[in-house]
Amino acid sequence: MPTARHPSPSPARRSSSARLDRLDRLRRLTGRDHDLLSWLAEHYVLSADQIAGALFPSRRSARLRLAVLHRLEAVSRFVDVTTGSGQYLYTLGPLGMVVHPTAFNDPNRPDIRAPRSSVERTERIIGSRKLAHLLGTNQLFIDLIAYARGDDNAKLARWWSEQHATAVFARSGIRPDGHGVWAAGGRQVGFFLEHDNGTEPLGTVLRKLRGYEALAAYGPRYPVLLRVPGRRRERHLLSALAGVPTAMPVATGVHGEHPAGPAWTITSDPDLRRWLHELPSDHGPDNPATNPHRFPDDGPTNLGP
């Protein structure tokens, strides 16, 4: 006798089954997973080592959980070709984009249409000329988060991406590579990061300070951190800024030095290296009209948007 055929599930039943599967996978996400996904939504990409340093007790535990998140399609991954380390770099996966449907989508063109899928978003990140720059920028913030894990009196209280900070401070025209508020030593120090890989002329780097001068007239007066690849470039920057008055503090530092520590030289006082929490900082006037995103003094912390 011919074998009886079972009817294929109807489209409605398949859709219901897919929805239940997605809900089950969403329920398996932990608070730590949600922290990671929020970072990947705003900051595009993090390496396995960065994720381990910021969120896990060991590389092994990070690797095991990331494998689970990859199976759940919460994250996507690809091999790092920027440093030769061969480690995985992680971006949002299909499930991650369900959690964060308004993620920043293209590091080269922030105003471009939204991608049709997480695959397209990941392809944009992999193909971005800014990939190495993104990893370098994110490393400073990851180092601060990792430091705070061992110090109950320290915390990265705000971490905004270039797109986030550019949108918030659009009136001044600044485009920092990142913006944060670091709480340590009983102080809150806001800062804008300019991560320099040594590929731009010094004049281009210095011209970026003009927007910060405009911002200081009505908004926060945070130090601008010019982080460069080596001491020689740092000396050239300090020489170019010697005796030049700036409305905001400007400090130089070098890649590889821990950003929480005595890694910063204020251009107006180049004989002393300071800890990040020692840099002068002012949240600006308490005026909702001109400074609507003023960080609250001793207020709640915020790692996300």
Side-chain angles (χ1 to χ4, degrees), residues 152-222:
D152 292 338
N153 296 313
K155 190 173 185 70
L156 182 62
R158 177 189 279 174
W159 178 14
W160 286 357
S161 65
E162 174 187 345
Q163 284 85 356
H164 192 161
T166 298
V168 167
F169 300 111
R171 177 180 172 185
S172 66
I174 65 170
R175 296 188 63 88
D177 294 319
H179 161 55
V181 176
W182 176 239
R187 300 188 69 234
Q188 293 176 344
V189 174
F191 62 88
F192 296 109
L193 174 64
E194 294 288 348
H195 180 82
D196 173 46
N197 282 331
T199 57
E200 294 179 323
L202 284 181
T204 301
V205 177
L206 296 174
R207 280 194 293 274
K208 295 179 180 180
L209 298 178
R210 294 174 182 171
Y212 296 107
E213 296 284 325
L215 180 61
Y218 60 85
R221 289 177 285 276
Y222 293 149

Side-chain angles (χ1 to χ4, degrees), residues 8-242:
S8 299
S10 67
R13 182 170 295 180
R14 287 197 299 269
S15 176
S16 176
S17 177
R19 187 178 298 110
L20 289 173
D21 173 67
R22 187 169 61 205
L23 288 172
D24 178 65
R25 287 183 288 142
L26 286 169
R27 282 194 292 266
R28 294 172 63 184
L29 297 176
T30 68
R32 180 172 59 188
D33 296 337
H34 280 283
D35 286 342
L36 172 59
L37 296 181
S38 71
W39 296 348
L40 294 178
E42 173 145 358
H43 305 288
Y44 291 111
V45 60
L46 291 169
S47 71
D49 284 348
Q50 289 174 334
I51 295 168
L55 291 171
F56 290 87
S58 68
R59 289 184 179 183
R60 182 177 183 276
S61 62
R63 185 169 62 251
L64 292 173
R65 186 58 189 172
L66 287 169
V68 171
L69 292 177
H70 185 248
R71 288 196 298 272
L72 293 175
E73 297 187 324
V75 299
S76 297
R77 68 188 185 189
F78 56 96
V79 175
D80 180 11
V81 296
T82 65
T83 64
S85 68
Q87 67 176 315
Y88 281 124
L89 303 182
Y90 289 85
T91 63
L92 283 183
L95 190 69
M97 290 193 69
V98 170
V99 179
H100 292 281
T102 58
F104 291 116
N105 293 315
D106 193 316
N108 293 339
R109 300 173 60 190
D111 57 343
I112 199 171
R113 63 169 175 79
R116 290 169 293 182
S117 66
S118 65
V119 174
E120 182 180 338
R121 181 179 186 267
T122 297
E123 288 174 344
R124 293 180 185 180
I125 296 169
I126 294 174
S128 171
R129 62 183 181 274
K130 293 185 175 181
L131 179 56
H133 192 268
L134 283 170
L135 289 168
T137 296
N138 291 346
Q139 186 64 54
L140 177 138
F141 294 92
I142 291 296
D143 286 342
L144 293 176
I145 293 170
Y147 178 94
R149 293 179 68 193
D151 185 344
D152 292 338
N153 296 313
K155 190 173 185 70
L156 182 62
R158 177 189 279 174
W159 178 14
W160 286 357
S161 65
E162 174 187 345
Q163 284 85 356
H164 192 161
T166 298
V168 167
F169 300 111
R171 177 180 172 185
S172 66
I174 65 170
R175 296 188 63 88
D177 294 319
H179 161 55
V181 176
W182 176 239
R187 300 188 69 234
Q188 293 176 344
V189 174
F191 62 88
F192 296 109
L193 174 64
E194 294 288 348
H195 180 82
D196 173 46
N197 282 331
T199 57
E200 294 179 323
L202 284 181
T204 301
V205 177
L206 296 174
R207 280 194 293 274
K208 295 179 180 180
L209 298 178
R210 294 174 182 171
Y212 296 107
E213 296 284 325
L215 180 61
Y218 60 85
R221 289 177 285 276
Y222 293 149
V224 181
L225 308 183
L226 304 178
R227 205 174 195 215
V228 298
R231 292 291 178 210
R232 181 178 179 183
R233 189 164 175 88
E234 183 185 33
R235 287 194 299 270
H236 289 164
L237 271 174
L238 289 171
S239 176
L241 288 165

